[in-house]
Amino acid sequence: MDKIELFVPGRLCLLGEHSDWAGLHRVINSAIVPGQAIVTGIEQGIYAEVEKNEKFIVQSDLESYHDASFSCEMDSEKLREEAGAGGFFSYVAGVASYVNECYNVGGLKITITKMDLPMKSGLSSSAAICVLVARAFNQMYRLKLNTMGEMNIAFIGEQRTPSRCGRLDQACAYGVRPVRMTFEGNEVSVKPLPFKSP
């Protein structure tokens, strides 16, 4: 597998915003009702080409990236330091640091080819890029993770940044389709919702 193309959408919460945070309280009190939400992926998202590389590189010619790029050795300590510093590339560094710690992988070169998902608009652009990086490692190195596995890696990677987004945002991993999410402490379950017409 020389090169792959990926797309990860943003997400829109239809019902149950912040129920992921409420569900976290079940860690200390099981009498609390689990959080539940209905979330859907949207048509706007992030498109990328991915190939193997010795380093971990994220780049783009898009105007929104202002010619910025990120390059780092596949060194968990350096990647985690970049994640903790915050900023534009902290999310990708956080995911790469976790993958490097837990799996036997090399690096990646990720080229963002198109992005019609607005940033800082409540549509989970940070979760989308985290899922994209997790999926890129999964597919390029055949880690055999399912969608939930990619979501978990994306969430942990994002938690290594100054951002503290909840579990609901990773629903974008399921693509442009509605899902029902249940949050019980640190556990999350996802069930795709069938619908009869678009």
Side-chain angles (χ1 to χ4, degrees):
M1 189 181 306
D2 296 327
K3 186 181 289 188
I4 59 172
E5 294 185 359
L6 295 176
F7 166 73
V8 176
R11 67 98 185 123
L12 186 65
C13 182
L14 302 177
L15 293 168
E17 189 75 47
H18 302 305
S19 61
D20 48 349
W21 293 111
L24 270 176
H25 292 286
R26 284 180 57 81
V27 169
I28 54 174
N29 183 354
S30 62
I32 293 174
V33 175
Q36 294 194 48
I38 295 177
V39 189
T40 186
I42 59 175
E43 286 80 7
Q44 292 77 32
I46 304 172
Y47 300 77
E49 288 183 349
V50 182
E51 55 192 309
K52 290 182 179 179
N53 195 283
E54 290 183 2
K55 294 184 176 182
F56 179 67
I57 301 168
V58 179
Q59 62 182 22
S60 179
D61 292 331
L62 296 177
E63 189 176 323
S64 58
Y65 273 72
H66 307 292
D67 294 323
S69 62
F70 176 74
S71 178
C72 185
E73 302 292 333
M74 283 299 287
D75 179 301
S76 296
E77 188 174 330
K78 291 179 182 177
L79 288 164
R80 193 158 188 171
E81 184 178 329
E82 182 70 29
F88 198 69
F89 293 105
S90 62
Y91 301 100
V92 298
V95 176
S97 70
Y98 181 73
V99 171
N100 194 54
E101 287 174 14
C102 298
Y103 298 92
N104 185 21
V105 297
L108 290 177
K109 180 180 176 183
I110 300 175
T111 303
I112 307 299
T113 56
K114 179 182 175 183
M115 190 165 95
D116 54 8
L117 178 65
M119 292 185 284
K120 298 182 179 179
S121 299
L123 300 173
S124 296
S125 59
S126 59
I129 193 65
C130 288
V131 168
L132 190 144
V133 173
R135 185 161 291 163
F137 276 110
N138 185 28
Q139 292 190 17
M140 290 304 294
Y141 289 99
R142 295 183 173 87
L143 302 180
K144 297 185 179 180
L145 298 165
N146 61 14
T147 305
M148 184 64 71
E150 292 175 346
M151 286 174 65
N152 287 335
I153 288 173
F155 176 72
I156 293 170
E158 187 162 358
Q159 291 295 297
R160 293 184 170 196
T161 75
S163 171
R164 287 295 176 264
C165 293
R167 298 299 303 259
L168 186 147
D169 296 339
Q170 279 73 39
C172 59
Y174 281 84
V176 185
R177 63 189 300 185
V179 295
R180 176 181 176 180
M181 303 182 77
T182 303
F183 310 100
E184 297 197 48
N186 291 317
E187 298 290 325
V188 59
S189 60
V190 183
K191 181 179 179 182
L193 295 175
F195 50 94
K196 294 183 179 180
S197 61

